[in-house]
Amino acid sequence: MALCFIPLFIIAQEDKKCKDENRGIDQLPCTIAYRYGIDVMPDEDSAVRYVDILIKKRNFLEPEKAKPYQVSLIADNKVWHIVVKSYNCRYCKIYININKNTGEVLNFYRSED
């Protein structure tokens, strides 16, 4: 009887490998890169200034009209999560996730909530 259950326990304990190629637009990558000893985006102010540039270039929004942003740290304080309310659409929001250490934009998508 025990011989039947041992393979089941082994299969159940296997780690499922994360596959970034199948991740959704709103999901973070499996591993968050950490390359530098000092964070490129150490504080909320630098992340907000970076987002100002991004939304101005990519969505043709004026940052001063879209402020204030909702800024928070996620993924064990490794990623800045910024939500921008679009003034062009009543229920539209722009979601931006930025790696705190490298400044890499992990996600940039629009949603109607």
Side-chain angles (χ1 to χ4, degrees):
M1 188 85 162
L3 292 174
C4 295
F5 289 109
I6 290 174
L8 292 175
F9 289 132
I10 292 172
I11 293 171
Q13 292 179 353
E14 284 184 21
D15 290 332
K16 304 225 179 208
K17 293 185 179 179
C18 184
K19 296 181 180 178
D20 279 336
E21 63 268 4
N22 293 332
R23 81 180 162 109
I25 193 168
D26 59 339
Q27 296 174 334
L28 291 174
C30 297
T31 57
I32 310 285
Y34 187 83
R35 292 189 187 108
Y36 311 117
I38 299 173
D39 292 334
V40 174
M41 304 264 171
D43 56 0
E44 185 177 321
D45 187 46
S46 61
V48 166
R49 283 185 277 149
Y50 190 51
V51 168
D52 287 345
I53 295 167
L54 286 173
I55 65 170
K56 189 173 184 178
K57 294 289 182 181
R58 291 184 74 178
N59 280 320
F60 307 107
L61 293 176
E62 293 184 34
E64 295 306 318
K65 288 184 180 179
K67 285 184 179 177
Y69 308 144
Q70 296 174 357
V71 182
S72 60
L73 278 170
I74 58 172
D76 297 326
N77 294 333
K78 295 179 183 177
V79 176
W80 287 108
H81 178 72
I82 298 129
V83 180
V84 180
K85 291 182 182 176
S86 177
Y87 56 83
N88 293 336
C89 175
R90 184 178 219 176
Y91 298 109
C92 296
K93 292 182 182 176
I94 300 168
Y95 295 92
I96 305 168
N97 292 326
I98 302 170
N99 186 330
K100 184 178 176 182
N101 183 256
T102 62
E104 173 187 12
V105 177
L106 303 172
N107 302 94
F108 191 106
Y109 63 96
R110 181 180 294 186
S111 176
E112 292 185 27
D113 294 338

